[in-house]
Amino acid sequence: MFIITFIKITSILLAIVGATFLIPIAVAIACGEMAVLPAFIIPMVASFILGLAINIPTRKIKYNMSTRQTFLIVAMVWVVASFMGSLPLYFSGTFPSYLDAFFESVSGFTTTGSTILSNIDDLPRSINMWRCITHWLGGMGIVTLTVALLPLLGVGGFQLIKAETTGPEKGKVTARITTTAKALWTIYAVLTLLETIALHLAGMDFIDALAHGFSTLGTGGFSTKGASVGAYNSVAIDVIITVFMFLAGINFSLYFYLINRDFKEIKDNTEFKAYLGLVAFFTIAVSISLISVYGSFFKALRYGAFQVLSLISTTGFATADFMTWPATTQFLLFILFFIGGSSGSTSGGVKVVRWVILGKQVNNETKKMLHPHGVFSIRLNNKVGRKDIVFNVAAFISIYLMLVLITTFVGCLGNLDLHSAFTGALSMVGNVGPGYGLLGPSENFGFLPAFVKLWYCFAMLAGRLELYTMIIFFMPSYWKK
């Protein structure tokens, strides 16, 4: 019964991903890229046929999954989605090998934004559009989208979404999980549309504007230009994308509260206040450090704010090569690789709330040294937090850093220097995009050996699924009854 349920969910997901091929198909027709059409149409039709063939005869089957099975389904669904996303990239002939196409697809769905390509400007526009759409699908979550569109035929949607969403605490903003999923995806789509319109009015053609809207709200970083957003050399475009990267790094539940005029939830949100503070501090600090490069504070602010939001939201866009900036600036940006955006956002990284919790616990431990008999608790959102959340955060950060170290070692085995390997590992596990050195913002990942690319695919998936969903399969306790 579980195998049947797994196959049903996978087939539904493939059909949903296949349906999104209609957008690049429309772009291909509009741009006269007829040679690319079969690369999209054949997998799309095959996914529809497979979905119907599996779900019609099994439509009455109901099955409730255990927690163990939920992790397996979510992990495999993301691998299958990455496989589906790689087919147009490979069949179109734009990628030199299937591994490269799979790496690009994983990088897209996990919203990492690292590419193996050096000729992005020469790609068919439909292929570039598809690369950006993968960010959008993976940003809010492909399982969340599936739950929003379908009740999963009796499968526990909340357990599935918990295994996919980000942050130490996961809950519903409405009574029903399907309603929550629909609300979040609607907000996500509206913000994407607003950015697309704004970018189009600022001078981008509509196809590029839509592609960058997908990438920005998904906090991915794939661009239709080899020089990323810097290729447009437009103040208006830089400002618009900076603003929407900031918005994408906020917990999307807060938008739901905003729409429902529940301002207290927003005002009391500890993570949101910390996120605002971090963005303000690093934007000002980086901008001041760039005055010597750009000659004026306002020009430095334009480039500094963009890069700060690009890294803290883990989007990975660039308007300049920050490897050419002063060492002080590079250090400030390097710190952002460790932080990430808000929980419940489309951003990657450790997440702001975890650092807040850790900081509050350090403060409590200091107080205990001064007042041994005192009782101190962590307050989040003006409420006393659960005591076990500290252990949750400590365990997560320990595993996170362990995976970064292992990924650094793998990079070194692939002949990367330590600087490039370490920042590349931070980028892969944190789904950031660029690294430093050989993996900097003006470089690509195409030269890496096959085994490094494969490990990076695992690291990106693990990072996007908050580590446990992928790493749990290496734990002996998972396989014990």
Side-chain angles (χ1 to χ4, degrees):
M1 290 294 292
F2 168 70
I3 293 174
I4 293 173
T5 303
F6 170 71
I7 293 173
K8 285 174 64 177
I9 294 175
T10 303
S11 66
I12 291 170
L13 171 84
L14 288 174
I16 290 173
V17 174
T20 62
F21 286 177
L22 290 171
I23 300 174
I25 286 172
V27 171
I29 293 172
C31 298
E33 298 169 352
M34 300 305 170
V36 181
L37 285 177
F40 289 104
I41 293 175
I42 293 173
M44 180 181 70
V45 173
S47 70
F48 291 165
I49 293 173
L50 180 66
L52 291 172
I54 291 173
N55 283 278
I56 289 177
T58 61
R59 62 187 180 277
K60 293 183 179 180
I61 294 177
K62 306 288 183 180
Y63 184 77
N64 291 318
M65 294 178 295
S66 66
T67 302
R68 180 183 282 106
Q69 293 166 340
T70 298
F71 282 114
L72 180 60
I73 282 188
V74 171
M76 291 308 300
V77 154
W78 274 78
V79 173
V80 170
S82 298
F83 165 75
M84 181 72 172
S86 68
L87 296 181
L89 303 179
Y90 181 62
F91 291 146
S92 64
T94 53
F95 284 76
S97 69
Y98 177 73
L99 176 57
D100 286 341
F102 184 72
F103 178 94
E104 197 84 4
S105 181
V106 172
S107 181
F109 278 107
T110 59
T111 74
T112 305
S114 300
T115 182
I116 62 95
L117 296 169
S118 58
N119 61 333
I120 293 172
D121 297 271
D122 299 330
L123 290 180
R125 300 194 76 182
S126 53
I127 293 294
N128 264 330
M129 176 62 78
W130 173 240
R131 292 169 68 242
C132 296
I133 290 172
T134 58
H135 284 331
W136 198 71
L137 293 174
M140 186 58 68
I142 48 181
V143 172
T144 307
L145 176 60
T146 307
V147 172
L149 295 177
L150 295 167
L152 289 183
L153 309 177
V155 175
F158 184 53
Q159 289 298 322
L160 291 171
I161 290 180
K162 277 181 68 177
E164 181 185 63
T165 51
T166 61
E169 293 189 300
K170 293 144 188 183
K172 312 173 192 176
V173 294
T174 64
R176 299 185 61 199
I177 191 61
T178 52
T179 306
T180 296
K182 288 174 183 176
L184 295 178
W185 265 94
T186 300
I187 293 167
Y188 189 48
V190 169
L191 286 173
T192 305
L193 179 61
L194 290 174
E195 185 187 3
T196 300
I197 293 170
L199 289 174
H200 186 49
L201 292 175
M204 276 192 190
D205 68 52
F206 182 75
I207 292 175
D208 277 4
L210 181 60
H212 284 85
F214 286 143
S215 286
T216 306
L217 266 299
T219 62
F222 280 157
S223 175
T224 57
K225 304 292 183 182
S228 191
V229 179
Y232 296 95
N233 194 27
S234 166
V235 175
I237 288 173
D238 289 358
V239 171
I240 290 166
I241 292 180
T242 300
V243 169
F244 279 92
M245 285 191 294
F246 170 77
L247 296 176
I250 295 172
N251 189 327
F252 273 74
S253 297
L254 297 186
Y255 296 120
F256 182 84
Y257 296 131
L258 180 65
I259 292 168
N260 287 277
R261 299 178 178 273
D262 192 351
F263 301 119
K264 188 176 186 303
E265 285 285 348
I266 300 171
K267 182 175 70 70
D268 291 344
N269 191 274
T270 306
E271 183 180 37
F272 179 58
K273 289 183 282 190
Y275 176 68
L276 285 176
L278 286 167
V279 169
F281 171 79
F282 280 98
T283 296
I284 293 170
V286 169
S287 298
I288 290 173
S289 72
L290 287 175
I291 292 176
S292 61
V293 177
Y294 292 105
S296 73
F297 177 74
F298 290 105
K299 192 171 183 181
L301 180 63
R302 169 190 168 185
Y303 288 95
F306 186 98
Q307 203 58 62
V308 166
L309 265 303
S310 179
L311 290 179
I312 197 169
S313 69
T314 70
T315 305
F317 280 142
T319 51
D321 184 357
F322 56 74
M323 291 303 299
T324 63
W325 288 351
T328 303
T329 311
Q330 290 187 41
F331 174 76
L332 290 169
L333 295 177
F334 175 69
I335 296 173
L336 297 177
F337 278 77
F338 291 90
I339 298 175
S342 304
S343 59
S345 71
T346 59
S347 300
V350 173
K351 303 295 182 302
V352 172
V353 70
R354 288 193 173 97
W355 292 116
V356 169
I357 291 168
L358 209 59
K360 285 178 176 289
Q361 183 61 22
V362 169
N363 184 51
N364 284 348
E365 293 298 327
T366 304
K367 289 179 179 178
K368 284 180 183 179
M369 293 179 67
L370 298 173
H371 308 284
H373 302 293
V375 178
F376 305 99
S377 59
I378 289 177
R379 293 186 66 84
L380 292 173
N381 307 334
N382 264 348
K383 301 171 186 174
V384 176
R386 299 191 333 262
K387 292 182 179 180
D388 64 328
I389 198 169
V390 176
F391 302 110
N392 179 303
V393 169
F396 178 89
I397 293 178
S398 298
I399 297 172
Y400 190 94
L401 294 177
M402 184 77 69
L403 183 58
V404 167
L405 291 177
I406 294 171
T407 304
T408 300
F409 178 65
V410 172
C412 291
L413 289 177
N415 294 321
L416 288 175
D417 61 89
L418 182 58
H419 186 217
S420 301
F422 181 59
T423 56
L426 285 171
S427 181
M428 293 297 99
V429 180
N431 305 135
V432 179
Y436 279 34
L438 296 175
L439 303 177
S442 62
E443 309 297 334
N444 64 73
F445 290 63
F447 69 93
L448 294 172
F451 75 91
V452 177
K453 290 177 183 175
L454 280 171
W455 180 263
Y456 276 7
C457 285
F458 170 77
M460 287 187 284
L461 286 167
R464 173 57 185 83
L465 297 176
E466 295 275 275
L467 305 186
Y468 291 109
T469 303
M470 295 296 290
I471 291 176
I472 198 170
F473 305 115
F474 296 94
M475 305 293 182
S477 58
Y478 176 84
W479 302 103
K480 294 178 181 178
K481 292 185 179 180

